[in-house]
Amino acid sequence: MKTLVIITHPNFEQSVVNKRWTEELQGLADVTVHNLHAAYPTEEIDVEREHQLMLEHDRIVLQFPFYWYSSPPLLKKWQDHVLTYGWAIGSEGNKLHGKELMFAVSTGAPKENYHAEGSNKYTVEELLRPLEATGNLIGTLVLPPFIQYGMMGISEEELEISAREYAKAVLA
Ligand SMILES: Cc1cc2nc3c(=O)[nH]c(=O)nc-3n(C[C@H](O)[C@H](O)[C@H](O)COP(=O)(O)O)c2cc1C
């Protein structure tokens, strides 16, 4: 099983969670770490390269911090440009069929905010539904997301546990 982890973080240098997660993945056998902002500093995505990378892997992980209950904008641009008709969708667009897709998300707010009675009203799983629906449309098997809540109050120890659990989930 070869896994491609696509990271989108507009401010990676200042990141705590996504940076630590990424460090944990570096050097793991059969895991390719692909940081979109590092690969495309001008945000001009090389669609051919993205297609090739995905073809070479069986599982694709989209890793990002939650921004306005969604992904940072470069990941939306990546979807718009890379999941093309005739390649990922449409009657002949079957290149991703059968691959696994997973979302790895860090949030600022704690878990208790993310439910029907909490301040955010919805769970993160519910808010990820557009991405899940996209995964269904492109014929991937969408795996349960890996979520790190409440980054604002995270301790060093919790961060280490999170990084180890994340690596386990990516390899599972
Ligand atoms: C523009 C922006 C929007 C954000 N929107 C949300 C949000 O909708 N929900 C939330 O829980 N946190 C939100 N946050 C907080 C980030 O999700 C949080 O800082 C990040 O997940 C921490 O990961 P990092 O240490 O890798 O940066 C937002 C942060 C920024 C800068």
Side-chain angles (χ1 to χ4, degrees), residues 9 15-18 65-69 106-109 114 151-152:
H9 196 305
S15 159
V16 174
V17 177
N18 285 269
F66 226 22
Y67 274 16
W68 298 111
Y69 308 109
S106 62
T107 76
Y114 283 104
M151 183 275 148
M152 303 301 184

Side-chain angles (χ1 to χ4, degrees), residues 42-93:
T42 61
E43 304 198 0
E44 282 313 308
I45 297 171
D46 181 342
V47 174
E48 194 52 47
R49 178 182 177 195
E50 295 301 306
H51 283 177
Q52 198 50 44
L53 271 171
M54 285 196 283
L55 290 175
E56 289 165 2
H57 294 81
D58 313 295
R59 175 181 289 174
I60 297 154
V61 180
L62 300 179
Q63 176 191 320
F64 54 90
F66 226 22
Y67 274 16
W68 298 111
Y69 308 109
S70 179
S71 70
L74 186 58
L75 187 58
K76 178 63 166 58
K77 183 175 181 180
W78 178 91
Q79 292 170 68
D80 295 349
H81 287 247
V82 175
L83 304 178
T84 46
Y85 188 85
W87 193 84
I89 54 165
S91 57
E92 290 172 20

